[in-house]
Amino acid sequence: MNIGIDQIGLYSPHYYVDLAELATARGVDPNKFIIGIGQSQQAVPPSSEDVVTMSADAAQDFIHEINTSKIGLLIVGTETGIDASKSAAVIAQRLLELPETIRTYEIKQACYGGTAALMTARDYVAAHPDKTALIFAADIARYGLEDGGEVTQGAGAVAMLISANPRLMTVEDDSQFISRDIMDFWRPVYTDLALAKGKYSTEQYIQFFQDVWRNYTQATGRSLSDFAAINFHLPYTKMGMKALRTVLPEADVATQGRLTDNYALATIYSRQIGNIYTGSLYLGLLSLLEHSTDLQAGDRLGMFSYGSGAVGEFFSGVLQPGYADQLHAAAHQQLLANRSKLSVADYERVFLNKVPYAADDYVSDTSMQTGKFRLTGVQNQERQYTIK
Ligand code: HMG
């Protein structure tokens, strides 16, 4: 039985900061951010958006076209959840007016959480082929103003419906994965700002890729020439290319060209949005599918997932006949094209206006645009949401 991604949706906030302007404000050569890191813009979420609202907004691409009574599992993969106990998933379930008869929870392992949700959903559908699973990979990446990681912030959510006989892409049963307890990136519970050992994290990312790729080739007998494209977790768009370059010499010239060209297509959305942690790999997949004119049904795509701390996984998917009919390319390109640019000063103001790490009541800035769903604030330590 084929199992995989039947539907995929995207949401990212209506505001961004220009990274050449941010570089200038930080006294950095803009080419470092734009070429050296590979980021041009960064999504800036107002405090009225969080992983709950962004997840529910990402589902709007397809939720009204699917049979929601078949959903048996709903998972939010996130590392920027809104409560240490309650999952974002149960709130998203209510906002989306889904049936109660759904098993609903949140998964965490840094950026690997999206893939953890996907693989759990795959197993669920294998055991219950008549059911579907709705999964979200949603995050707000925050390192702090003037922090070395500031250029790699971002915000957004990817929603996916996992089913038998998927119309978009299968998720093959060929995963290779590795877990190792390392401290390359983490976020203590008292802060919403991530800590990273920048250089060490990039080295670990590459090491994990090389290790799971080696195990994958040994287990499957496949090589780079079997892939139309390889998608990478994209904390910033240069990162995946650094990893890809370490294996490209294994391939013939045509394969090298194809993988390099498709890597560029997979980074178009990330370059404008930034790191969305759990969703970044799937944002790259979406970017590739929505910009390629060469991909065809039957093409195999490689997927490298990395979550600091750390877990790495490599698996593949096969594009299904008519897969392009399931995409919402025009809507996603419009979502990004219609965003408002914030000055660096306004970005800093928005960044610092946030739900406090305290028992205080809070009212979010009502002047800022959101998607269909909005966090209006916090009253008596309970988050308040509205639907437009
Ligand atoms: P940095 O120290 O600011 O940058 O850290 P750098 O000095 O290493 O320079 C970056 C690149 O810009 C270099 O190129 C420079 O040569 C180039 P590279 O050697 O890498 O090819 N450069 C220039 N290029 C053109 N013109 C110029 C110029 N100047 C320099 N004028 C870093 C950068 C990304 C490490 C930092 O921003 C950071 O710490 N980010 C957060 C951590 C991170 O994203 N790590 C990635 C791997 S870990 C991961 O992916 C997991 C994660 O998503 C979290 C999770 O799992 O939950 C982060």
Side-chain angles (χ1 to χ4, degrees):
M1 175 178 44
N2 281 337
I3 302 172
I5 303 168
D6 186 72
Q7 297 294 307
I8 183 165
L10 169 67
Y11 180 78
S12 188
H14 292 267
Y15 301 94
Y16 72 93
V17 64
D18 181 278
L19 291 184
E21 292 178 16
L22 184 66
T24 304
R26 300 292 179 250
V28 172
D29 179 352
N31 283 338
K32 175 176 173 184
F33 285 6
I34 290 162
I35 300 167
I37 303 281
Q39 293 300 128
S40 301
Q41 298 168 347
Q42 181 175 106
V44 180
S47 65
S48 43
E49 296 193 313
D50 63 13
V51 294
V52 174
T53 64
M54 292 194 302
S55 293
D57 277 316
Q60 295 309 298
D61 279 337
F62 60 79
I63 200 78
H64 302 295
E65 285 148 32
I66 62 168
N67 180 353
T68 53
S69 68
K70 285 182 69 177
I71 301 173
L73 179 67
L74 188 163
I75 308 175
V76 174
T78 185
E79 57 179 293
T80 51
I82 44 81
D83 191 278
S85 176
K86 180 168 178 165
S87 80
V90 281
I91 311 174
Q93 179 202 23
R94 171 174 66 80
L95 295 180
L96 290 169
E97 298 174 328
L98 296 175
E100 287 183 353
T101 49
I102 297 176
R103 197 178 278 149
T104 304
Y105 56 91
E106 188 174 302
I107 283 185
K108 177 179 70 183
Q109 177 26 63
C111 297
Y112 178 71
T115 301
L118 174 63
M119 293 305 165
T120 305
R122 191 190 184 288
D123 289 349
Y124 171 77
V125 173
H128 309 280
D130 295 336
K131 305 293 278 185
T132 61
L134 180 59
I135 62 168
F136 298 97
D139 273 301
I140 297 175
R142 288 169 67 90
Y143 292 86
L145 303 179
E146 301 184 27
D147 183 271
E150 184 180 26
V151 62
T152 62
Q153 297 175 147
V158 174
M160 291 183 270
L161 187 75
I162 311 307
S163 74
N165 304 316
R167 287 173 285 179
L168 225 158
M169 185 179 91
T170 63
V171 173
E172 299 290 290
D173 189 13
D174 60 0
S175 276
Q176 288 294 322
F177 35 83
I178 287 175
S179 300
R180 291 181 192 132
D181 180 11
I182 60 165
M183 293 300 280
D184 60 330
F185 164 106
W186 66 104
R187 183 171 64 84
V189 288
Y190 54 78
T191 176
D192 66 350
L193 304 178
L195 305 175
K197 295 175 190 163
K199 203 169 237 2
Y200 178 63
S201 70
T202 60
E203 289 164 2
Q204 288 302 312
Y205 175 115
I206 293 170
Q207 188 64 57
F208 271 71
F209 170 66
Q210 290 177 339
D211 291 351
V212 291
W213 171 247
R214 183 196 59 235
N215 292 353
Y216 183 87
T217 56
Q218 285 169 1
T220 62
R222 292 196 185 110
S223 66
L224 290 175
S225 61
D226 292 306
F227 293 90
I230 298 186
N231 293 299
F232 288 81
H233 165 56
L234 294 171
Y236 53 96
T237 70
K238 183 84 156 302
M239 185 69 248
M241 182 45 82
K242 282 171 182 267
L244 180 60
R245 277 197 194 120
T246 67
V247 297
L248 271 184
E250 295 170 13
D252 58 80
V253 173
T255 301
Q256 289 186 15
R258 182 176 71 249
L259 297 183
T260 304
D261 290 349
N262 282 336
Y263 180 84
L265 298 180
T267 59
I268 292 172
Y269 287 158
S270 294
R271 184 174 263 282
Q272 299 170 76
I273 290 175
N275 194 357
I276 59 168
Y277 290 158
T278 49
S280 290
L281 171 61
Y282 304 95
L283 181 63
L285 170 67
L286 202 52
S287 182
L288 172 68
L289 298 181
E290 294 187 349
H291 290 97
S292 169
T293 49
D294 291 342
L295 288 173
Q296 295 174 1
D299 280 348
R300 183 178 298 277
L301 308 184
M303 303 284 287
F304 172 61
S305 182
Y306 179 76
S308 284
V311 180
E313 179 157 344
F314 191 94
F315 63 97
S316 76
V318 177
L319 292 179
Q320 296 301 289
Y323 77 90
D325 298 338
Q326 307 307 319
L327 299 171
H328 304 270
H332 296 154
Q333 282 153 23
Q334 211 176 2
L335 173 76
L336 295 178
N338 289 347
R339 297 182 304 175
S340 303
K341 184 171 87 167
L342 298 177
S343 66
V344 172
D346 284 341
Y347 144 69
E348 292 179 345
R349 246 192 308 280
V350 172
F351 188 91
L352 295 173
N353 178 3
K354 54 178 186 153
V355 175
Y357 263 69
D360 307 345
D361 281 358
Y362 174 79
V363 179
S364 56
D365 182 350
T366 50
S367 70
M368 297 207 70
Q369 196 186 341
T370 64
K372 181 174 177 186
F373 305 93
R374 174 187 285 268
L375 172 73
T376 54
V378 181
Q379 277 169 22
N380 300 323
Q381 304 191 59
E382 296 181 19
R383 290 169 95 90
Q384 310 292 322
Y385 293 94
T386 55
I387 306 174
K388 254 187 217 167

